Amino acid sequence: MENSSSKSSGSENPSMEISFQRLSPSAAESQAKLSCPTSEGDDPPEPAGYSSSPSSLSDSVSVIHPLPPVKGGDVIAFKMDDIDAMFSDLLGEMDLLTQSLGVDTAPPESQSSSNTEINFSIGFTDFNESLNELEDNDLDALMADLMADISATEEKLALGDSSRPDPLPEPMGLPPPPSLPQDYGLPTSPGNTSGPRALAPSQAALPIPPAPASQPPAPPQACESLLPEEVEAQAKADKIKLALEKLKEAKVKKLVIKVVMNDGSSKTLMVDERQTVRDVLDNLFEKTHCDCGVDWCLYETNPELQIERGFEDHENLVEPLSAWTRDSENQILFLKRIDKYAIFKNPQNFYLWKRDTKSLKDMKEKDKEMLLEENFCGSSIIVPDMEGPLYLKEDGKRAWKQRYFLLRASGIYYVPKGKSKTSRDLACFVQFDNVNVYYGKEYKHKYKAPSEFCFVLKHPQIQKESQYIKYLSCEDNWTMTLWVTGIRIAKYGMMLYDNYKEAMKKAAVSSLWSNRTITNSSTPPTPSKASSQPNGHAPQPPVQMPTAATASSEAWAETKGHGNTSSLPPLPPSEDFLPPPPPDPVMPLPPPPPDSVLPPPP
Amino acid sequence: MAAWDLSVAVEELGPEAPPLSVSVTSDLHIGGVILKVVEKTEISRDWSDHALWWEQKQQWLLSPAWTLDKCGIHADARLTFTPQHKPLRLGLPNGVTLKLRACFSGPAFRTVMGICRVLNIRHPEELSLLRPVEEKKKKKDKETAEEVYDLTGVPLTSVSIPSLYNGMPAHFADSPQTEAVYKMLSITQPAPAPENITKMYRPASVVDKAHIHSRWLDSSRSLLQQGVQENDRLWLRFKYYSFYDLEPKYDAVRLTQLYEQARWAVLLEDIDCTEEEMMLFGALQYHINKVSQSEPQGMTSCPAMDDLDSALQCLEVKMDGETSSMDMLETMTTAPELHDYLKIFRPKRLTLKGYKQYWFTFKDTSISYYKSKEEGFGEPIQQMNLKGCEVAPDVNVAGQKFCIKLLIPAPEGMNEVYLRCENEKQYSQWMAACRLASKGKNLADSSFPTEVQNIQAFLTMQCPNPKSQSAQADDSINTHSLVSPRYQKKYKAKQLTPRILEAYQNVAQLSLTDAILRFLQIWQALPDFGVSYFVVRFKGSRKDEVLGIANNRLIRIDLGVGDVVKTWRYNNMRQWNVNWDIKQVAIEFDGNVNIAFSCVTANCKIVHEYIGGYIFMSTRSREQSDTLNEDLFHKLTGGHDAL
């Protein structure tokens, strides 16, 4: 379809190119690379093979799946090339609009490059549709982001590489994102069409595409004694190198994700495969002006399996999202989870869980630190000595079977029938290399589980019911928290502690800022304070975070101490883990339908 | 003052010679006695290491200024004039016996410090000496040929920081013999023969383990005081499982010996582990063994070599910079591929289809297959992306079966696929490719060739007659020598190989040091790690129980069932006392918790020293000084007789 749209009138090509440059530096680079005269000799056959080979095609098909509008899909996944295609599409549309307004368009310039573009976009017919799905404020935000990215890069470039003969387009002077049709209330300024024409030649003449922000400066200039030819050769080599790096950069996979906030609203942002969850969280902190506490978490839900889990801060977000299926109803939530770093705030609850509640509650800070030091700062990470009876449902069977399980650094084990729980007798139940741990929701109803406190172990790529998923049911919520946290420690080890320290740093900085207005100069010494203190006082963000999130966190800590009839510290029902936003905390509202739906372009 | 005769035996005069008798007065100081004795021997030699030993009282007379009166020595005393440093046969953690001169006069703690200084082991406070388990006399005659390394020639200097020469402490560089000693110390020993593991003493129960801990020497008394004689055998072991500041750069010997101790603890079932953990230990041993043989200079890199290394690295970086564009081009364009005819089998429910042959292509991280080679350019019958999949070998070399079992994740679950290869070569290549792909790497990855080699090397281990593979002959270890006797019994070597190989794929890329560190990490993560056992009787209890002492806690264990009854942590500990008369240790914890126990298997000094020792170890991290606070150690571990 993109194919037809770009072929229908070659006139889009210039505007297409310019849009790339404005919208994403890497796209522009790949584009420029293709038309780059210096590198034409060694132009790798890669792009063509990349798109035509069945392997990569089917590969990308599995990744690229705009979601049907009804389901309120949250991830529009595509590689950089696809985003190019998407924008080119929109541009095409806009061109049609401008044409109809009687504005003349520039003649086609680089047919070859557009051809390769077309190849990339085969198979993604409903991009516009899905893009249209986004609310216009999402789109605005997304575009603003992209623009900011580019302008940052280009500013850097303008500063760093002043020797460039051709002046770069001034990004700030550019009109608003061209992909926004007029329906969205943004006027298409005449500059929109004049821009491309003015810039197209400079683009073509530009031998080197703009360097990305991370690009180190060109090699040292210590070659004054060199002959001119050598200098030239050197320059050429550098250019080739640069161009290749651009190409590599262009291969970076990117996703546009929709993150559902506490209040049911959502934010759309772009993540690339190099970004960690921490980066994305920081990004969201900036956008929401929330308190930046350590408990904020990106949370994955899978309604089909009724499971959910918090992403760890060090994970790359794109990878797990790539495993989502085309028709997935999965969501990413941005919320506070007390259990995310509870282990570091109250390590005694996990490492000394066998003790009575009272002694744990009175634990001194010093002793907590000591516990952390013992278990996380030695040459080896010590995993909490979790053990106890759990109900297991596995291998696709319906029945839940009770077994005695033990957690070790090397995996979860169970005591086989008639055996003792000495190490040598244990049978391995699962090792953690290839599985993640999830909370199971409402399994009493779904799978007739003995309790609602279930956790699930499965390969992250499994998205539907399968015999390879292992379901475990615990006696109570606290036991479940212990197990899930223990498994996370066994799986991630030191990484978890590093994540926490990083999050603490963030929280401390932001609380310092928010404390400036309040008369409280001391940085919070304890994590729990750091996370809860600033919340109430933080400048109220445009998207408001219900402060109930913190309230519930305290409630959680409180109830843990109270202790009722059972010897294990009781926990409030699982709902309390999630801040109680309207209407359903687990599955916030799907995004409201878009105000105006544009028909997909021909 | 009246002069009287003091009888002093001098070893140098020979065993038959009668003791010398020197005329002394009670106010003569020890130094004066020594002077008289030396004069009387009429032997001119260096007597500076000699001192007087009082046989009856079992004590050294080491203060030259003290008078005989002050020491309480009368005419009936029988003294011996003997060297303070005597040769000792030291059993090292790696099982090798090393003969060296050790101090017999100072507290054992200082003796260990001296030994560690010679051996170049940092943090000697973590080690101690213990009496070996008696070996059965019958075997003695056979073992006469045991290789003994000799370091007795090396003087026990008091240099605190040994200067380095050729990457080893200078005192090892004197002769080829001493260099060989250093090599033995700093390079891991080859895998032992399986029979040897079976033959060695293994503690069968907690009580057995408790008995081993009764053998530790008292750190506050001298070796001679504890009845250790010249040329006796003692074991040097890491006693406190709290290894401070392990630094591969300085700790070549320490790390190696620690690894050896851990390895033997695992092999001799001194510490319990699960089957999966044992396989991983086995894989790491195999890897460490292999790497240390192939690059023996790794651990003993000298400064000059370091320079060369860094120079080479520089060069590499430079080359890198020059060729990187080409490299990049390559990695982006021409990732190598594999093509071959293989057989595939997809077990599905209720279908009994066998293996079918197709033309297979391995590209990037995916396998595609086609009807035939000719159709290899068209649409594949199926394509499977192996990223995140589980790869397991299903191999029987004798039966010429080379299968790769793949569990490929998909949204609907895992797809089980078997690939059957024709021969070893094909198998190792495809297996290596599958492994890399499961980690998201393609064939362009630099580890591909080594991975192929590793798999081939492992296959030869399974080979019925390894001699036919002459090139790999030295590589072939019996996998039985990597696991404890329990698993030797449970599995045949050829059953063990694929299991170890499976674990091996996760560690095969580690460097020697990293592999050793990983081994230690897994060892330290075992639940029972670092617990020393003693049979005790708690006050008010009628039965024997087991007290476990670890680096952060005390554990009360039921002797019969083996369950942990109670745990006390040191940081709740207020104080502990020893009643030496009734041999009882009393400990007070926060919140008025008091416990007391008497020791059954070990002297209560050993228990006391263990607890005090761990308290001492925990003080190290806070005061960052490098000097060992010996006084504090003795204060914490010394008993009444140390005062």
Side-chain angles (χ1 to χ4, degrees):
Chain A
M1 182 205 59
E2 280 83 357
N3 209 338
S4 65
S5 79
S6 36
K7 265 187 189 156
S8 64
S9 77
S11 59
E12 294 129 42
N13 286 328
S15 58
M16 215 166 104
E17 278 192 31
I18 206 61
S19 76
F20 292 141
Q21 185 151 54
R22 263 189 249 137
L23 294 174
S24 74
S26 41
E29 287 144 24
S30 76
Q31 183 78 6
K33 160 69 189 78
L34 292 170
S35 56
C36 164
T38 48
S39 59
E40 219 136 58
D42 45 33
D43 199 344
E46 199 271 332
Y50 186 52
S51 53
S52 64
S53 103
S55 69
S56 50
L57 188 65
S58 62
D59 180 24
S60 44
V61 167
S62 71
V63 174
I64 299 156
H65 37 70
L67 298 162
V70 211
K71 297 192 172 161
D74 302 299
V75 171
I76 305 151
F78 38 78
K79 294 181 179 160
M80 204 50 234
D81 323 317
D82 313 323
I83 211 172
D84 294 349
M86 172 175 101
F87 284 122
S88 76
D89 239 18
L90 281 165
L91 280 171
E93 219 163 354
M94 224 183 49
D95 263 15
L96 284 177
L97 285 166
T98 43
Q99 259 176 344
S100 69
L101 286 170
V103 185
D104 63 330
T105 48
E109 282 205 305
S110 53
Q111 195 59 50
S112 65
S113 67
S114 72
N115 278 343
T116 39
E117 277 317 310
I118 290 157
N119 283 338
F120 288 138
S121 48
I122 290 169
F124 316 118
T125 48
D126 40 4
F127 260 114
N128 285 336
E129 204 183 328
S130 64
L131 203 66
N132 289 336
E133 264 319 290
L134 301 175
E135 296 145 75
D136 36 0
N137 57 347
D138 288 341
L139 255 178
D140 283 347
L142 182 58
M143 294 310 266
D145 263 11
L146 292 172
M147 290 293 278
D149 265 8
I150 291 155
S151 56
T153 320
E154 297 195 341
E155 266 167 56
K156 206 160 265 176
L157 245 177
L159 288 174
D161 202 352
S162 51
S163 62
R164 191 183 299 280
D166 300 295
L168 275 168
E170 178 50 60
M172 302 321 277
L174 283 174
S179 60
L180 291 173
Q182 282 157 328
D183 297 26
Y184 283 33
L186 281 168
T188 327
S189 75
N192 213 4
T193 39
S194 67
R197 246 184 293 156
L199 286 165
S202 87
Q203 167 91 33
L206 225 85
I208 311 166
S214 59
Q215 181 65 36
Q221 309 288 316
C223 46
E224 278 171 41
S225 58
L226 290 176
L227 296 168
E229 304 94 82
E230 278 177 315
V231 175
E232 208 169 277
Q234 175 72 36
K236 190 172 173 184
D238 288 345
K239 281 172 193 168
I240 293 172
K241 204 171 141 195
L242 252 178
L244 284 166
E245 266 163 36
K246 297 295 142 51
L247 239 184
K248 220 172 191 182
E249 166 95 357
K251 272 181 85 175
V252 171
K253 193 153 109 187
K254 300 193 182 178
L255 293 178
V256 171
I257 61 166
K258 185 145 151 188
V259 180
V260 182
M261 303 286 138
N262 267 335
D263 58 358
S265 72
S266 65
K267 291 228 172 283
T268 307
L269 49 150
M270 169 135 54
V271 288
D272 77 35
E273 62 183 339
R274 297 163 301 188
Q275 271 179 310
T276 61
V277 170
R278 179 77 254 161
D279 297 333
V280 178
L281 281 176
D282 290 349
N283 196 347
L284 281 164
F285 285 170
E286 253 170 55
K287 281 185 197 294
T288 58
H289 309 286
C290 70
D291 65 4
C292 309
V294 292
D295 293 331
W296 286 105
C297 171
L298 277 186
Y299 208 67
E300 172 188 19
T301 64
N302 180 329
E304 179 158 359
L305 290 169
Q306 288 174 253
I307 55 170
E308 54 189 51
R309 75 163 182 130
F311 291 117
E312 304 297 345
D313 287 358
H314 66 272
E315 281 184 82
N316 285 91
L317 191 57
V318 167
E319 205 183 320
L321 298 190
S322 306
W324 291 11
T325 53
R326 173 186 276 270
D327 54 348
S328 166
E329 290 178 55
N330 294 8
Q331 285 189 315
I332 306 165
L333 316 182
F334 177 60
L335 43 70
K336 280 195 162 186
R337 291 287 301 194
I338 309 308
D339 57 337
K340 186 180 184 187
Y341 288 129
I343 175 78
F344 302 112
K345 295 176 195 167
N346 287 298
Q348 75 280 12
N349 291 345
F350 298 88
Y351 280 103
L352 307 174
W353 61 276
K354 288 173 181 163
R355 301 280 179 93
D356 58 304
T357 340
K358 200 184 142 287
S359 68
L360 294 187
K361 209 186 159 199
D362 300 339
M363 194 84 167
K364 289 180 224 124
E365 278 310 311
K366 198 188 80 199
D367 290 340
K368 290 185 190 177
E369 271 169 39
M370 203 151 175
L371 262 180
L372 282 183
E373 198 172 307
E374 260 171 34
N375 294 296
F376 284 91
C377 302
S379 42
S380 177
I381 303 291
I382 309 297
V383 172
D385 53 343
M386 284 307 304
E387 59 172 71
L390 298 174
Y391 286 92
L392 162 72
K393 173 182 143 58
E394 67 171 343
D395 293 344
K397 293 191 188 102
R398 292 187 65 187
W400 293 78
K401 206 156 108 191
Q402 196 186 33
R403 280 194 185 282
Y404 196 89
F405 286 92
L406 295 101
L407 177 69
R408 296 168 75 100
S410 58
I412 300 180
Y413 294 79
Y414 64 88
V415 181
K417 230 179 188 174
K419 291 281 179 77
S420 72
K421 58 177 196 181
T422 50
S423 305
R424 53 176 178 266
D425 285 343
L426 297 179
C428 188
F429 171 61
V430 69
Q431 295 191 296
F432 303 123
D433 302 327
N434 283 319
V435 297
N436 279 346
V437 61
Y438 301 78
Y439 291 104
K441 290 286 159 190
E442 289 164 36
Y443 274 11
K444 238 175 162 166
H445 178 249
K446 187 176 169 90
Y447 293 126
K448 308 230 173 341
S451 81
E452 287 293 20
F453 314 108
C454 298
F455 66 92
V456 169
L457 293 157
K458 72 165 185 72
H459 194 289
Q461 289 190 34
I462 299 179
Q463 297 289 320
K464 305 193 164 155
E465 270 190 58
S466 148
Q467 54 165 331
Y468 293 94
I469 302 179
K470 295 172 162 72
Y471 307 90
L472 288 152
S473 174
C474 311
E475 210 160 80
D476 52 39
N477 199 359
W478 179 238
T479 313
M480 177 176 71
T481 310
L482 284 177
W483 274 99
V484 171
T485 308
I487 292 166
R488 285 168 60 217
I489 296 170
K491 183 170 167 68
Y492 302 109
M494 194 56 199
M495 197 75 86
L496 221 51
Y497 194 37
D498 290 340
N499 287 347
Y500 171 66
K501 285 188 275 190
E502 193 62 33
M504 282 292 285
K505 253 191 246 160
K506 265 267 163 257
V509 168
S510 81
S511 76
L512 247 178
W513 276 101
S514 60
N515 281 349
R516 287 224 171 146
T517 49
I518 313 157
T519 52
N520 184 359
S521 56
S522 66
T523 37
T526 61
S528 54
K529 268 188 200 165
S531 64
S532 60
Q533 199 175 28
N535 194 4
H537 311 292
Q540 284 310 308
V543 180
Q544 288 200 356
M545 301 299 144
T547 44
T550 342
S552 79
S553 89
E554 246 117 57
W556 184 73
E558 287 285 295
T559 26
K560 216 201 99 25
H562 280 306
N564 56 30
T565 46
S566 86
S567 64
L568 280 168
L571 279 183
S574 60
E575 290 88 86
D576 279 16
F577 270 119
L578 291 167
D584 176 11
V586 187
M587 289 283 122
L589 277 182
D595 306 347
S596 54
V597 179
L598 278 176
Chain B
M1 198 172 271
W4 42 276
D5 279 350
L6 179 65
S7 114
V8 179
V10 181
E11 282 178 6
E12 274 67 20
L13 294 176
E16 301 303 314
L20 297 175
S21 135
V22 281
S23 173
V24 294
T25 54
S26 290
D27 62 349
L28 183 66
H29 47 75
I30 301 291
V33 176
I34 292 175
L35 205 66
K36 285 194 171 194
V37 173
V38 168
E39 272 170 9
K40 197 136 191 193
T41 57
E42 292 172 340
I43 304 173
S44 74
R45 54 160 288 171
D46 179 12
W47 294 99
S48 61
D49 191 42
H50 281 60
L52 287 171
W53 164 252
W54 187 1
E55 190 74 47
Q56 292 108 316
K57 290 258 170 147
Q58 289 283 300
Q59 77 182 54
W60 287 90
L61 306 171
L62 292 172
S63 323
W66 280 29
T67 60
L68 291 174
D69 198 26
K70 194 174 176 186
C71 294
I73 293 173
H74 303 289
D76 60 347
R78 255 174 255 307
L79 303 187
T80 313
F81 192 53
T82 180
Q84 297 180 55
H85 290 89
K86 297 166 189 286
L88 191 67
R89 290 191 302 139
L90 201 62
L92 297 172
N94 62 3
V96 174
T97 305
L98 175 68
K99 211 166 162 185
L100 49 59
R101 262 177 210 288
C103 174
F104 274 63
S105 63
F109 185 74
R110 196 168 298 165
T111 308
V112 175
M113 279 170 71
I115 292 171
C116 288
R117 200 182 300 127
V118 172
L119 302 186
N120 200 25
I121 298 176
R122 297 194 311 148
H123 295 288
E125 67 274 15
E126 291 162 5
L127 295 95
S128 192
L129 296 167
L130 75 165
R131 295 190 172 83
V133 178
E134 288 90 17
E135 286 156 37
K136 284 168 197 144
K137 289 278 184 259
K138 275 186 185 172
K139 288 175 187 164
K140 266 278 152 89
D141 37 341
K142 268 191 196 169
E143 282 181 57
T144 42
E146 182 193 34
E147 189 182 8
V148 176
Y149 288 87
D150 200 333
L151 261 189
T152 43
V154 173
L156 276 170
T157 49
S158 49
V159 217
S160 54
I161 302 156
S163 52
L164 290 185
Y165 178 79
N166 249 353
M168 56 181 139
H171 55 265
F172 285 111
D174 293 344
S175 67
Q177 282 80 23
T178 50
E179 274 186 32
V181 170
Y182 188 72
K183 213 172 154 192
M184 174 275 293
L185 287 168
S186 59
I187 296 176
T188 56
Q189 295 292 303
E195 316 79 85
N196 287 358
I197 303 175
T198 337
K199 249 191 342 210
M200 284 174 82
Y201 171 78
R202 293 193 306 279
S205 65
V206 185
V207 179
D208 285 355
K209 290 177 193 170
H211 277 290
I212 289 183
H213 287 292
S214 68
R215 300 170 180 277
W216 290 107
L217 292 192
D218 185 341
S219 296
S220 20
R221 296 195 301 148
S222 71
L223 262 54
L224 205 55
Q225 275 177 310
Q226 301 183 60
V228 179
Q229 299 298 321
E230 192 173 325
N231 278 322
D232 268 3
R233 232 177 104 87
L234 285 181
W235 282 353
L236 178 72
R237 291 290 185 272
F238 290 88
K239 179 179 180 184
Y240 300 101
Y241 294 93
S242 159
F243 314 115
Y244 184 57
D245 183 30
L246 275 177
E247 174 54 69
K249 208 169 154 194
Y250 310 116
D251 286 334
V253 179
R254 187 175 171 216
L255 261 182
T256 307
Q257 297 303 322
L258 190 54
Y259 160 72
E260 291 282 356
Q261 186 167 334
R263 183 234 292 238
W264 282 105
V266 169
L267 287 181
L268 297 179
E269 290 159 18
D270 190 27
I271 186 162
D272 250 349
C273 65
T274 64
E275 197 171 312
E276 285 70 22
E277 285 155 357
M278 181 60 87
M279 297 307 146
L280 186 52
F281 281 131
L284 279 165
Q285 286 178 68
Y286 171 77
H287 184 60
I288 290 167
N289 197 45
K290 198 167 146 238
V291 181
S292 65
Q293 274 175 2
S294 63
E295 42 170 276
Q297 72 278 21
M299 293 294 266
T300 60
S301 65
C302 61
M305 281 301 275
D306 279 350
D307 283 351
L308 192 61
D309 268 355
S310 56
L312 274 173
Q313 238 159 29
C314 262
L315 196 66
E316 246 169 71
V317 169
K318 233 171 142 187
M319 302 270 285
D320 244 16
E322 278 160 12
T323 58
S324 67
S325 58
M326 284 320 288
D327 281 354
M328 236 183 306
L329 191 65
E330 239 160 64
T331 53
M332 279 191 296
T333 54
T334 57
E337 299 172 15
L338 289 179
H339 305 273
D340 221 333
Y341 276 108
L342 303 176
K343 286 177 182 160
I344 189 170
F345 170 52
R346 314 182 55 120
K348 281 179 195 147
R349 278 176 201 179
L350 305 172
T351 53
L352 286 167
K353 278 185 188 167
Y355 284 92
K356 270 194 152 181
Q357 180 164 295
Y358 292 100
W359 174 252
F360 279 77
T361 299
F362 203 119
K363 192 182 174 204
D364 218 19
T365 60
S366 297
I367 288 184
S368 317
Y369 60 92
Y370 309 85
K371 251 212 170 91
S372 66
K373 188 177 180 181
E374 291 66 40
E375 287 178 33
F377 298 99
E379 279 287 304
I381 295 169
Q382 208 204 356
Q383 187 184 35
M384 304 172 283
N385 191 347
L386 301 192
K387 206 170 162 190
C389 80
E390 285 174 35
V391 187
D394 181 10
V395 174
N396 184 346
V397 180
Q400 286 295 298
K401 176 187 175 197
F402 302 101
C403 288
I404 303 169
K405 183 188 171 191
L406 298 169
L407 265 182
I408 305 168
E412 293 77 25
M414 309 290 263
N415 293 320
E416 211 175 329
V417 175
Y418 288 84
L419 297 181
R420 181 161 192 157
C421 304
E422 278 303 308
N423 52 44
E424 275 175 45
K425 186 166 172 279
Q426 198 182 43
Y427 168 80
S428 2
Q429 283 194 340
W430 285 80
M431 186 66 175
C434 289
R435 287 212 184 127
L436 287 179
S438 75
K439 291 175 203 151
K441 297 176 187 164
N442 65 20
L443 299 181
D445 197 272
S446 57
S447 59
F448 180 65
T450 42
E451 189 83 46
V452 174
Q453 273 174 12
N454 286 337
I455 295 166
Q456 266 171 346
F458 230 95
L459 285 177
T460 54
M461 284 170 60
Q462 257 199 322
C463 210
N465 49 341
K467 267 169 199 144
S468 62
Q469 255 86 15
S470 54
Q472 311 263 342
D474 54 346
D475 258 349
S476 57
I477 317 172
N478 187 339
T479 37
H480 268 167
S481 60
L482 303 173
V483 297
S484 72
R486 178 189 315 282
Y487 296 100
Q488 293 183 13
K489 258 181 258 163
K490 192 168 174 185
Y491 296 108
K492 290 178 191 152
K494 67 175 182 191
Q495 290 173 309
L496 219 44
T497 307
R499 304 237 12 214
I500 293 182
L501 180 60
E502 204 179 328
Y504 177 61
Q505 59 179 306
N506 293 322
V507 298
Q509 301 302 325
L510 295 177
S511 73
L512 180 57
T513 313
D514 287 344
I516 289 178
L517 289 174
R518 177 73 66 85
F519 192 99
L520 295 177
Q521 269 169 16
I522 300 168
W523 176 52
Q524 291 178 64
L526 294 176
D528 297 336
F529 165 80
V531 184
S532 309
Y533 300 98
F534 299 90
V535 177
V536 298
R537 174 142 331 161
F538 277 91
K539 200 177 167 185
S541 167
R542 288 221 197 122
K543 53 174 188 182
D544 284 350
E545 282 171 88
V546 175
L547 178 77
I549 303 182
N551 66 352
N552 56 359
R553 64 195 193 277
L554 297 174
I555 310 161
R556 183 174 181 171
I557 301 165
D558 187 296
L559 183 55
V561 191
D563 281 348
V564 173
V565 178
K566 182 93 183 124
T567 304
W568 301 278
R569 295 172 51 81
Y570 295 147
N571 54 342
N572 296 328
M573 198 158 88
R574 286 262 170 84
Q575 58 168 333
W576 82 103
N577 299 296
V578 185
N579 184 332
W580 299 104
D581 297 327
I582 57 170
K583 304 232 176 271
Q584 193 181 63
V585 182
I587 308 175
E588 187 193 338
F589 292 97
D590 285 346
N592 259 335
V593 178
N594 285 289
I595 59 165
F597 53 85
S598 54
C599 307
V600 179
T601 49
N603 189 319
C604 72
K605 170 67 165 74
I606 294 179
V607 174
H608 164 66
E609 201 180 305
Y610 242 113
I611 298 173
Y614 272 128
I615 305 283
F616 174 77
M617 301 299 151
S618 68
T619 63
R620 291 182 300 176
S621 41
R622 270 160 236 159
E623 40 176 89
Q624 283 288 336
S625 70
D626 251 3
T627 51
L628 184 53
N629 191 341
E630 205 182 328
D631 289 343
L632 180 64
F633 182 85
H634 286 303
K635 217 179 262 175
L636 286 165
T637 62
H640 64 135
D641 45 11
L643 303 171

